[in-house]
């Protein structure tokens, strides 16, 4: 139910990066149809070497941000659960909604935390519902009433 970035919807393949604010739409043969940027404008990370102890290096990314924490895609919309938390967000995670047909950002909304403070960890969508997996394993199904441009 919960996927990690590659989706087949409406005869298209949609790939969303989690470390940079970019997602791509391809036809089923792999031809590119669209490249879209998220509203948060996460920078593209660069490969870097880090010394973990004298003489030992590991490869890493700089900056190593996981901004697009999770995503769900249905026939027309891409829902991205953002990991960017501003003080004004009251410790709630935003979901940014994009139209992968028109290539437009539509709007954002906040997902509620559970009563015990557990935050949303993963999302999945179908035609009419947003499914949210919380940090403690609880799954909540929300009705998507309307998404319009």
């Amino acid at each position: 139910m919960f996927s990690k970035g590659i989706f087949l919807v409406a005869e298209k393949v949609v790939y969303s990066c989690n470390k940079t604010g970019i997602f791509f739409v391809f036809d089923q043969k792999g031809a590119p149809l669209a490249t879209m940027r998220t509203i948060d404008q996460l920078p593209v990370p660069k490969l870097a070497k880090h010394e973990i102890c004298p003489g030992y290096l590991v490869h890493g990314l700089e900056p190593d941000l996981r901004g697009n924490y999770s995503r769900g895609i249905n026939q027309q919309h891409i829902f991205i659960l953002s990991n960017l938390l501003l003080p004004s967000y009251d410790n709630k995670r935003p979901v940014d909604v994009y139209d992968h047909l028109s290539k437009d950002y539509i709007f954002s909304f906040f997902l509620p935390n559970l009563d015990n403070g557990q935050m949303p960890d993963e999302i999945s969508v179908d035609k009419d519902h947003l499914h949210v997996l919380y940090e403690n394993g609880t799954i909540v199904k929300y009705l998507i009433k309307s998404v319009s441009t």
Side-chain angles (χ1 to χ4, degrees), residues 40-130:
D40 48 43
Q41 299 293 311
L42 292 171
V44 176
K46 297 186 179 7
L47 191 61
K49 293 180 183 177
H50 301 279
E51 186 172 37
I52 58 172
C53 62
Y56 291 92
L57 300 175
V58 295
H59 287 98
L61 297 174
E62 289 182 359
D64 191 9
L65 305 172
R66 186 173 176 208
N68 297 331
Y69 205 73
S70 177
R71 74 279 301 143
I73 300 174
N74 64 16
Q75 297 299 318
Q76 186 172 353
H77 299 101
I78 300 172
F79 297 76
I80 296 180
L81 176 63
S82 179
N83 198 32
L84 302 180
L85 302 174
L86 299 178
S88 63
Y89 291 0
D90 195 28
N91 206 34
K92 293 182 182 153
R93 282 204 168 126
V95 174
D96 302 323
V97 182
Y98 302 85
D99 185 318
H100 64 76
L101 301 178
S102 70
K103 304 176 186 87
D104 293 325
Y105 162 76
I106 302 174
F107 65 93
S108 299
F109 62 92
F110 292 103
L111 284 174
N113 295 334
L114 295 179
D115 290 340
N116 63 4
Q118 298 291 315
M119 294 179 72
D121 195 46
E122 299 281 338
I123 61 172
S124 175
V125 297
D126 57 33
K127 182 180 175 189
D128 299 315
H129 295 93
L130 175 69

